[in-house]
Amino acid sequence: MFFLFTLFGQYMAYVQCRHTHLRIQTAIFRLKVSYSRISEVRPVDFNTLFPPSRQPWSQRRYLQAVFGLTGVGLSLSKFPLEEGPLRLFFNSYMFLPDRTGFLLLAKDWMDLSAQIGHYRELNLAKRVEAKRPGRAGPNPFAK
């Protein structure tokens, strides 16, 4: 049973941009990351962060499919949960080694990066609008 779970678990993982947060879903754990926590979104070369020659021999075969891929690096002001429990549910290669954040590998990293940037900007605009003085609420005349 555990073998089947590990075999199909990788296909149950995804990243989804929601209006208020970024959802990172694995086979058994769902994490919501508020856009306000994301300080930087940048392309990251997997080989640069995790050089194949420095990986244990037991991991090289497992990582063969992702060596050479580009992912989306999310630098965070802080993790949404304590780092210890996150490391129990997420693979160590999902964490940026040089800063607080995540490395997300996707089939189309440019599209994922653009979506995260778009929702981040919308979230920021909402926060700025809410802080404007004299603002009583939503504009009933806005389309």
Side-chain angles (χ1 to χ4, degrees), residues 44 46 49-52 54-63 66-67 72 87 90-97 101-105:
V44 175
F46 190 85
L49 284 183
F50 303 105
R54 290 191 179 160
Q55 302 313 308
W57 66 269
S58 60
Q59 294 291 321
R60 282 190 207 134
R61 186 170 183 193
Y62 164 73
L63 295 171
V66 296
F67 284 138
V72 177
R87 289 194 179 271
F90 290 152
N91 189 299
S92 62
Y93 294 102
M94 284 186 65
F95 294 91
L96 293 174
F102 294 110
L103 170 61
L104 305 174
L105 293 175

Side-chain angles (χ1 to χ4, degrees), residues 13 18 27 39 44-45 53 64 84 86 89 104 106 128 132 135:
R18 309 286 293 196
S39 57
V44 175
D45 177 36
S53 61
Q64 198 64 39
L86 285 178
F89 292 105
L104 305 174
V128 168
R132 287 174 75 192
R135 183 92 174 126

Side-chain angles (χ1 to χ4, degrees), residues 81-125:
L81 299 173
E82 293 295 321
E83 190 173 347
L86 285 178
R87 289 194 179 271
L88 288 175
F89 292 105
F90 290 152
N91 189 299
S92 62
Y93 294 102
M94 284 186 65
F95 294 91
L96 293 174
D98 56 345
R99 59 185 75 186
T100 302
F102 294 110
L103 170 61
L104 305 174
L105 293 175
K107 290 181 182 178
D108 187 354
W109 68 268
M110 288 193 296
D111 185 46
L112 177 60
S113 179
Q115 284 184 34
I116 294 170
H118 171 74
Y119 281 103
R120 222 177 121 214
E121 288 176 15
L122 287 177
N123 188 271
L124 178 62

Side-chain angles (χ1 to χ4, degrees), residues 2-17:
F2 183 71
F3 171 73
L4 290 175
F5 183 75
T6 57
L7 187 64
F8 293 110
Q10 63 182 332
Y11 300 107
M12 298 166 61
Y14 64 88
V15 177
Q16 183 180 40
C17 293

